[in-house]
Amino acid sequence: MSDGVVDLSLIDLALVYGLVLFVAGLARWNGIGQERDLLWSSLRMIAQLLTVGYLLKTVFSLASPVPVLLILLVMGGFAVHAVGARVQERMPRFHRVVGISLFIGCFGATFFFCTLVIGLTPWYDPRYLIPLAGMIIGNSMTGASLAAERLAAEMKERRLEIETSLCLGANARQASAEAVRGAFRAALIPSINAMAAMGIVFLPGMMTGQILSGTEPLLAVRYQIAIMCVITASVAVTTFLILIFGRRGFFTRAHQLRLDNFTK
Amino acid sequence: MMKGVGESLALEDVRKTRRDPEGNPVEILRGINLVVPAGSLTVVVGPSGGGKSTLLRLLNRLEDPDGGRILLAGVDIASLDPLALRRRVAAVPQVPFMYDGSVLANLQRPFVFRNLPQPSADSVETRRVLDLCRLPAELLPRQARSLSVGQQQRLALARALLLEPGVLLLDEPTSALDPPTADQLGQSLRDIRRERGLTLLMLTHDLRLARRVADRAAFLESGRILEEGAAADFFENPRADALRRFLSAPEAAHE
């Protein structure tokens, strides 16, 4: 590791975990509750992070693209599943639309950044590829959920507007333009807010992590700016594709709004 | 003034089935046969839930029937491009939707959708349609959503007319209007018909309006046409018991 990093031993870790135990004990003693959840979630965190740590250590040492791609694939699959679990009102052909859109958006943004911009060697270098792709997929997943959720809601809320437009000669694309715009806006708001607040309201995690591990602050800032741009692009592309593919599912080929498709 | 050309509509054994929330099929229209002659003003009356609105949605292909045929000037509308069909068959929904923007922008919207040159505020055609719908030209720059419901209803009518359709479908045009405003709308409909020669098909609960303006009428209940004919005969000598009951107490039949 880099020179400036202070080692954290298991004893140090035990001391820190003592804080959680202390807080849990305090909660118990005062009868304000939550101590079970506190302990359970802290244990889950330890187990999950240790697993990830060992997994990454193994993958780093293997120096082969196969496990790296496998991990990315699992992350992507999990993202599609998570979007499906979060969205109540599903559009037609939900999983296919979300899967394809996430894949194109995230793969495109990650490839652009890792290969064309920073030029990783080897191209699959897991130290960069896994955390960067993780951030890109995670943010795109949030955008995808918002877009899918809002699109279905907008289609429902704007039914009168959409059908009035159809009656007046609009095609499906024209009739649903406002609905798509509303959904796009909703999906991009988190990225826009995050960019606007960055550095003032909070110091972003990746930058903080790089600084802690000894990276020169200005370089860490550059990385943060780059990753935010890439994330925003990925979110926008994913969302845009979901809306464009998704919108079709709400109409028949005869420019009719499907009434039976507002289902789970 | 240019005269539009009304087109005829004919429905042959038209059927439509929907699913209720539990997924069971519900027959909304059970074999509708109806002729709407070119240039006529035909009203369809009947209790709520009888299938009137569904019937109207089939005529400009907002939905397609599950059985039977609908002919526009003798041609099955299933074979027509829906966007071209909706230019010939204009529909005004029961609740008028106004786009954000001025009255003029609302009148121009259908031209934007179709990529046609937009009529200007002082074009002869715009003025004529406003006159027919009894909307003063001073309203043109106003925000359309600030108009009264009655004015919005008439603006929706004007917006549909400006494209010179051959058939105009009206869903309960007076449902939100008080009697004097409804009478004005009835007068507009008669003027429109006289001047444009177009075919009008109107769904309504408003028997007063129906008697005043219609020359043909049909009674739709539980997905079937129980009686149809010339308006005078229809209203004065109803044969079907259900229609007689409906004409004497239409409000009771709503439930």
Side-chain angles (χ1 to χ4, degrees):
Chain A
M1 274 281 166
S2 146
D3 26 316
V5 184
V6 183
D7 189 47
L8 202 61
S9 70
L10 281 180
I11 297 165
D12 299 335
L13 214 53
L15 270 174
V16 181
Y17 193 71
L19 276 180
V20 175
L21 291 177
F22 172 71
V23 173
L26 212 62
R28 176 93 192 225
W29 184 60
N30 277 311
I32 51 173
Q34 299 301 316
E35 66 272 11
R36 269 171 180 280
D37 286 347
L38 258 174
L39 289 177
W40 172 239
S41 58
S42 64
L43 289 174
R44 266 191 71 157
M45 169 190 76
I46 291 171
Q48 285 163 199
L49 286 182
L50 283 178
T51 312
V52 171
Y54 281 110
L55 190 68
L56 288 179
K57 194 176 158 78
T58 315
V59 171
F60 285 12
S61 65
L62 283 177
S64 153
V66 179
V68 180
L69 292 179
L70 218 61
I71 287 180
L72 296 186
L73 210 66
V74 170
M75 289 200 303
F78 178 78
V80 175
H81 179 77
V83 174
R86 259 170 61 174
V87 175
Q88 295 295 312
E89 203 87 52
R90 290 198 195 158
M91 64 181 112
R93 297 173 300 152
F94 183 83
H95 284 98
R96 206 190 323 165
V97 169
V98 172
I100 293 174
S101 306
L102 266 175
F103 180 79
I104 297 176
C106 296
F107 177 83
T110 310
F111 176 79
F112 176 81
F113 187 51
C114 292
T115 309
L116 299 182
V117 179
I118 52 179
L120 289 185
T121 41
W123 61 268
Y124 59 84
D125 187 353
R127 265 184 62 181
Y128 286 87
L129 198 54
I130 290 175
L132 292 177
M135 283 191 282
I136 291 169
I137 293 174
N139 283 281
S140 302
M141 185 180 84
T142 310
S145 304
L146 286 168
E149 177 101 6
R150 274 319 298 167
L151 184 64
E154 295 267 347
M155 289 287 182
K156 213 174 189 176
E157 286 163 18
R158 293 179 185 268
R159 182 177 160 189
L160 178 64
E161 171 181 348
I162 291 170
E163 292 203 321
T164 299
S165 296
L166 292 174
C167 284
L168 292 173
N171 58 33
R173 188 180 51 75
Q174 293 168 324
S176 58
E178 280 301 318
V180 167
R181 204 169 296 162
F184 193 59
R185 192 185 311 125
L188 276 191
I189 280 176
S191 298
I192 290 170
N193 286 348
M195 281 198 287
M198 196 136 290
I200 300 174
V201 182
F202 63 96
L203 284 184
M206 186 184 80
M207 190 176 102
T208 317
Q210 281 189 311
I211 291 173
L212 280 175
S213 67
T215 306
E216 206 263 314
L218 282 180
L219 181 59
V221 164
R222 281 192 205 168
Y223 260 93
Q224 188 61 42
I225 292 172
I227 191 67
M228 279 312 293
C229 295
V230 176
I231 284 173
T232 306
S234 174
V235 170
V237 170
T238 305
T239 308
F240 183 71
L241 292 175
I242 284 181
L243 297 177
I244 295 309
F245 293 145
R247 145 163 70 192
R248 286 191 202 161
F250 289 94
F251 292 92
T252 68
R253 299 182 69 172
H255 304 280
Q256 298 162 327
L257 184 63
R258 284 177 193 269
L259 307 175
D260 52 338
N261 261 322
F262 299 117
T263 50
K264 300 244 160 181
Chain B
M1 198 64 242
M2 113 170 244
K3 213 169 167 81
V5 183
E7 300 191 274
S8 69
L9 277 172
L11 289 80
E12 296 177 353
D13 196 29
V14 169
R15 293 169 184 279
K16 183 71 185 174
T17 303
R18 284 194 210 284
R19 298 198 171 267
D20 67 10
E22 281 84 50
N24 306 311
V26 182
E27 278 186 278
I28 306 289
L29 299 175
R30 313 171 183 223
I32 300 286
N33 289 287
L34 181 68
V35 173
V36 181
S40 72
L41 198 168
T42 303
V43 296
V44 177
V45 298
S48 301
K52 297 197 300 292
S53 290
T54 303
L55 180 69
L56 211 63
R57 294 170 61 83
L58 301 179
L59 299 179
N60 68 346
R61 294 194 64 194
L62 277 186
E63 291 182 65
D64 288 325
D66 298 318
R69 303 195 301 164
I70 298 168
L71 306 175
L72 174 66
V75 178
D76 189 343
I77 63 169
S79 68
L80 298 176
D81 168 37
L83 299 182
L85 170 70
R86 290 176 197 151
R87 171 139 197 205
R88 287 162 67 187
V89 180
V92 181
Q94 182 172 359
V95 181
F97 176 84
M98 294 293 126
Y99 298 98
D100 189 24
S102 67
V103 169
L104 179 64
N106 268 273
L107 289 172
Q108 291 170 332
R109 194 64 173 253
F111 294 82
V112 176
F113 287 145
R114 292 172 201 272
N115 231 339
L116 295 171
Q118 297 166 32
S120 65
D122 43 15
S123 78
V124 180
E125 194 49 23
T126 308
R127 294 294 160 133
R128 190 64 204 127
V129 166
L130 288 177
D131 266 4
L132 279 174
C133 298
R134 292 174 164 67
L135 287 166
E138 297 85 75
L139 291 180
L140 283 172
R142 285 265 302 276
Q143 166 66 244
R145 290 179 176 169
S146 72
L147 302 186
S148 70
V149 182
Q151 287 172 324
Q152 290 191 12
Q153 194 72 261
R154 279 174 282 158
L155 177 53
L157 186 61
R159 191 169 60 185
L161 278 176
L162 208 46
L163 273 164
E164 301 182 358
V167 179
L168 185 61
L169 310 173
L170 300 163
D171 189 353
E172 303 278 0
T174 59
S175 60
L177 308 182
D178 54 35
T181 322
D183 285 348
Q184 278 190 4
L185 193 87
Q187 191 57 48
S188 289
L189 293 179
R190 282 201 289 208
D191 293 349
I192 288 163
R193 205 181 140 215
R194 197 176 55 237
E195 190 174 301
R196 301 296 169 104
L198 52 62
T199 309
L200 278 140
L201 181 65
M202 176 167 76
L203 311 181
T204 189
H205 272 124
D206 187 343
L207 293 177
R208 212 169 87 91
L209 175 75
R211 284 175 202 265
R212 280 185 53 204
V213 300
D215 49 11
R216 295 193 62 80
F219 179 58
L220 179 64
E221 187 186 74
S222 308
R224 290 197 178 85
I225 300 275
L226 297 184
E227 184 155 341
E228 80 164 301
D233 208 36
F234 180 91
F235 290 112
E236 301 318 318
N237 305 304
R239 285 181 300 277
D241 287 342
L243 175 58
R244 243 177 272 150
R245 279 196 301 275
F246 181 77
L247 291 179
S248 58
E251 296 306 323
H254 286 185
E255 304 311 318

